[in-house]
């Protein structure tokens, strides 16, 4: 296989009235001349290969997706090494994970926030939940599960910037399935 592997995490695909078949989801990536294009689950997780790192610019891909889908599809691109690092960098110990009723979440961000921005975001976290911001993502361990948490995700997004969230298990499975 030629080219570096990348992962695209699209926001809000197959939720509400944003329903796409896998064929519809993948078509714009193929039109962008990416190779080895595949979807993982039906939730906006796409992997592909490309030889030109400039061709994988989020803005370029988002413009093509908006044209193809008829709605904005915020997209967060990560290299294979970045995704592996996100999985390996999970900050919570096994006993913390076991004590939680929730699954460890990871949110992908556009850019790494400043220390002051991180402090503002962490000030919003309720004491029962755990959040760690690291580079262009943040980890969230909801002690009572996502639906049982009082974490103000929208308010944190307003501070940290646009994002998309997945369980760390999903990120790990996609990384493993498509590992070179």
């Amino acid at each position: 296989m030629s080219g570096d592997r990348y992962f695209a995490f699209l926001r809000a695909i197959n939720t509400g009235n944003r329903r796409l078949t896998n064929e519809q989801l993948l078509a714009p990536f193929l039109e962008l001349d990416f190779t080895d294009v595949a979807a993982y689950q039906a939730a906006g997780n796409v992997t592909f290969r490309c030889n030109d790192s400039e061709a994988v610019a989020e803005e370029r891909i988002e413009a093509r997706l908006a044209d193809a889908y008829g709605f904005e599809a915020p997209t967060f691109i990560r290299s294979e090494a970045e995704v592996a690092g996100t999985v390996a960098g999970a900050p919570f110990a096994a006993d913390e994970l076991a004590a939680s009723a929730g699954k460890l979440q990871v949110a992908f961000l556009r850019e790494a926030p400043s220390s002051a921005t991180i402090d503002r975001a962490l000030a919003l976290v309720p004491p029962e939940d755990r959040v760690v911001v690291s580079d262009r993502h943040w980890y969230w361990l909801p002690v009572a599960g996502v639906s049982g948490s009082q974490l103000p995700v929208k308010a944190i997004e307003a501070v940290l910037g646009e994002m998309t969230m997945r369980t760390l298990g999903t990120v790990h499975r996609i990384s493993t399935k498509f590992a070179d």
Side-chain angles (χ1 to χ4, degrees):
M1 308 259 169
S2 92
D4 293 327
R5 178 167 302 284
Y6 293 90
F7 295 91
F9 298 97
L10 285 64
R11 180 178 175 154
I13 297 297
N14 288 340
T15 61
N17 59 357
R18 293 178 165 206
R19 300 286 174 190
L20 301 172
T21 65
N22 269 354
E23 183 178 298
Q24 292 168 318
L25 175 68
L26 299 178
F29 290 91
L30 293 166
E31 292 164 3
L32 288 166
D33 293 326
F34 298 142
T35 60
D36 197 20
V37 177
Y40 182 78
Q41 298 179 328
N45 303 306
V46 176
T47 183
F48 59 89
R49 291 182 180 280
C50 183
N51 287 318
D52 179 5
S53 62
E54 291 181 20
V56 300
E58 290 171 346
E59 300 82 15
R60 176 179 182 258
I61 294 170
E62 287 175 338
R64 181 66 203 107
L65 298 180
D67 286 345
Y69 301 159
F71 56 81
E72 298 295 316
T75 304
F76 301 80
I77 303 296
R78 298 295 190 268
S79 69
E80 184 173 22
E82 288 173 314
V83 170
T86 299
V87 172
F92 303 110
D95 61 333
E96 292 174 287
L97 295 171
S100 172
K103 294 180 181 179
L104 180 54
Q105 308 289 314
V106 63
F108 295 95
L109 304 170
R110 295 268 181 218
E111 57 191 43
S114 69
S115 314
T117 301
I118 292 170
D119 289 345
R120 285 194 344 259
L122 293 179
L124 299 170
V125 178
E128 64 275 4
D129 284 347
R130 303 280 316 279
V131 170
V132 173
V133 181
S134 176
D135 193 31
R136 293 190 303 153
H137 53 272
W138 59 277
Y139 300 94
W140 170 31
L141 183 59
V143 173
V146 171
S147 62
S149 174
Q150 297 300 308
L151 186 82
V153 175
K154 295 261 187 233
I156 290 175
E157 182 175 29
V159 173
L160 295 178
E162 193 171 40
M163 65 182 184
T164 191
M165 193 173 293
R166 304 290 187 277
T167 67
L168 190 65
T170 295
V171 176
H172 181 256
R173 286 187 299 277
I174 193 174
S175 175
T176 301
K177 179 174 182 166
F178 295 102
D180 291 331

